[in-house]
Amino acid sequence: MNGFKKHRGLKRYYRNLATASDFDKMPWLNAGTWFDNWHHHFDWYGYGNSSFKRRKPHLDKLFRHFDMLIGKTQSLNPKFQLYAVLLDFDSASDALFLHSTNPNNSQFPFKVSDLQSVTTLKNNQLDNYINSLDGYEKLYGQAGEAFCLIFKKGVGRPF
């Protein structure tokens, strides 16, 4: 054997990425709810680390859910932040975040230092994907690995 473990059911896995909603059965968003940098990862197994072809469906799902959360956050007061963080080469760490004032005294609004509007990404395919997103603001940084922080103007508090 070559040591490569074959993953069964990947065709179904990727088909479900394109259609399933991770938020439909989550009645956790109402006017009294708070979030302490709650986040959700879409590529738990890191399949997207092996190729951008495998990463893209996870990113597509992340941004579909970003748009879903925009609608669901309408019941919150404007004291929240909705954003995504994408790492240069670590698909498993890509996540969608929701943050608000909270009883844990976490910093709100959440701030990330040394962000810039010029890309720091070395992953050209990811950079091209991010540049193709319409209506999103993009800020870039470096923290062990280059990353992009993405949000929408007019949705919660900006960065």
Side-chain angles (χ1 to χ4, degrees):
M1 280 318 255
N2 61 7
F4 178 73
K5 180 179 177 184
K6 182 170 175 150
H7 297 278
R8 298 176 56 92
L10 282 180
K11 195 179 275 191
R12 181 178 58 240
Y13 172 83
Y14 280 98
R15 188 173 47 246
N16 287 339
L17 274 179
T19 59
S21 168
D22 292 0
F23 299 158
D24 283 348
K25 297 175 182 138
M26 299 173 84
W28 41 262
L29 201 61
N30 59 49
T33 307
W34 55 265
F35 300 92
D36 186 358
N37 262 326
W38 171 90
H39 60 282
H40 186 73
H41 298 273
F42 293 87
D43 186 8
W44 282 105
Y45 303 109
Y47 291 144
N49 292 344
S50 62
S51 74
F52 194 77
K53 180 182 176 184
R54 289 185 172 206
R55 188 175 191 178
K56 186 181 179 302
H58 296 94
L59 293 171
D60 292 345
K61 185 170 185 173
L62 184 151
F63 286 102
R64 271 197 325 278
H65 282 69
F66 195 117
D67 289 339
M68 283 182 210
L69 276 182
I70 289 172
K72 292 180 181 295
T73 57
Q74 299 303 318
S75 65
L76 299 176
N77 66 34
K79 292 186 177 181
F80 72 91
Q81 291 173 299
L82 178 61
Y83 62 99
V85 174
L86 308 181
L87 275 69
D88 213 359
F89 293 100
D90 186 2
S91 181
S93 293
D94 295 344
L96 181 59
F97 289 79
L98 184 56
H99 187 55
S100 69
T101 55
N102 60 74
N104 295 339
N105 294 320
S106 294
Q107 174 192 29
F108 185 86
F110 184 66
K111 295 177 185 160
V112 181
S113 61
D114 299 327
L115 292 176
Q116 59 188 38
S117 58
V118 178
T119 188
T120 57
L121 300 175
K122 295 187 181 12
N123 184 335
N124 291 329
Q125 291 175 303
L126 178 61
D127 200 33
N128 291 338
Y129 180 91
I130 291 169
N131 288 329
S132 74
L133 296 171
D134 287 332
Y136 290 92
E137 301 295 318
K138 300 121 185 160
L139 295 171
Y140 301 88
Q142 186 80 33
E145 182 173 349
F147 68 90
C148 183
L149 185 146
I150 302 172
F151 63 98
K152 279 195 169 185
K153 278 189 179 174
V155 178
R157 295 275 175 100
F159 284 83

